[in-house]
Amino acid sequence: MKEFIESAEIKFAPVSVIIPCYRCAQTIQRAVASVIAQTLLPVEIILVDDFSNDAGMTLSTLVGLQNEYSETIIKILRFDKNRGPGSARNAAWDESAQPYLAFLDADDSWHPEKLEVQYKWMAAHPSVAMSGHSSVKITEGTDIPDLTNELVTHRVRSVGLLVSNRFPTRSVMIKRELPYRFIPEKRYAEDYLLWLSIVFDGQVACFLHKPMAYSFKEEFGDGGLTGDLWKAQQGVVDTYKRLYRAGSISLFTFVLISGFSLLKYFRRYVIVKWRGCGKGNF
């Protein structure tokens, strides 16, 4: 595998892939394997161990991946205390050496053509600062969906992004040079705040209608940070509050969009309870 990656015949995209890692020994191998399987490889994959308190299992898994795939492509950063996914991504952002960044979570994966399609599209549209694409939930061990040749895209405007976060973190590619970062202390909706800040600042963000990223759990109420619906809701309202304080949205818009997000929270709460009912837990 090292010989394959270091071969002069392999083509690379000028992309740094950033993956925060916290107690992810059971899933990180799948995530990294999906990056290594890309038809256009990234120059580097930066894994950030966010002080995983699992007796060294995560860190040893990361080192094993580095030994398997080569230090040329896999870099490991290690925190001395838990700082959250935003801080992990920021550290890798600052460490990266490529003009484009692609984010992936340790429990998600990509279609093999994701980087080739998305990078080539962004390179052909240099005015675009950020792009994301469709993501779907699949079951472990099932075949990934085939991609169509057609690529439909549209620009995501601030109002539309306020109403709905169109950018799963696992789908986002961004220009490294942008003067933005994740808010370090923010643990919920920190990615949503960054996307909104970029768009409200006038940067061009686009959505690619191709399902090139995959999750293996429900988008909400199914473990991880998204498992606590109320904290996730508080994180979204905090995002809107920060936009209001920055002067990006009016007080009226803040109240309106916060109320709308509360309605979505109640809908998700009912859906999660319904799932529990189906499993005999309601």
Side-chain angles (χ1 to χ4, degrees), residues 25-73:
Q26 302 302 315
T27 61
I28 185 61
Q29 292 172 307
R30 179 183 63 201
V32 170
S34 76
V35 179
I36 296 297
Q38 294 295 300
T39 55
L40 194 60
L41 282 172
V43 172
E44 59 183 3
I45 305 169
I46 305 176
L47 308 176
V48 186
D49 179 22
D50 191 13
F51 198 64
S52 301
N53 57 344
D54 56 359
M57 291 179 59
T58 292
L59 183 60
S60 64
T61 302
L62 303 188
V63 172
L65 288 169
Q66 188 179 58
N67 291 335
E68 178 179 358
Y69 294 123
S70 168
E71 295 181 12
T72 302
I73 190 169

Side-chain angles (χ1 to χ4, degrees), residues 94-110:
D94 294 337
E95 180 73 17
S96 65
Q98 300 304 310
Y100 290 89
L101 310 177
F103 299 110
L104 179 62
D105 287 336
D107 55 354
D108 297 326
S109 69
W110 286 341

Side-chain angles (χ1 to χ4, degrees), residues 18 45 59 61 91 136 141 165 173 204 206-207:
I18 294 174
I45 305 169
L59 183 60
T61 302
V136 296
N165 181 8
M173 182 177 289
V204 178
C206 292
F207 187 82

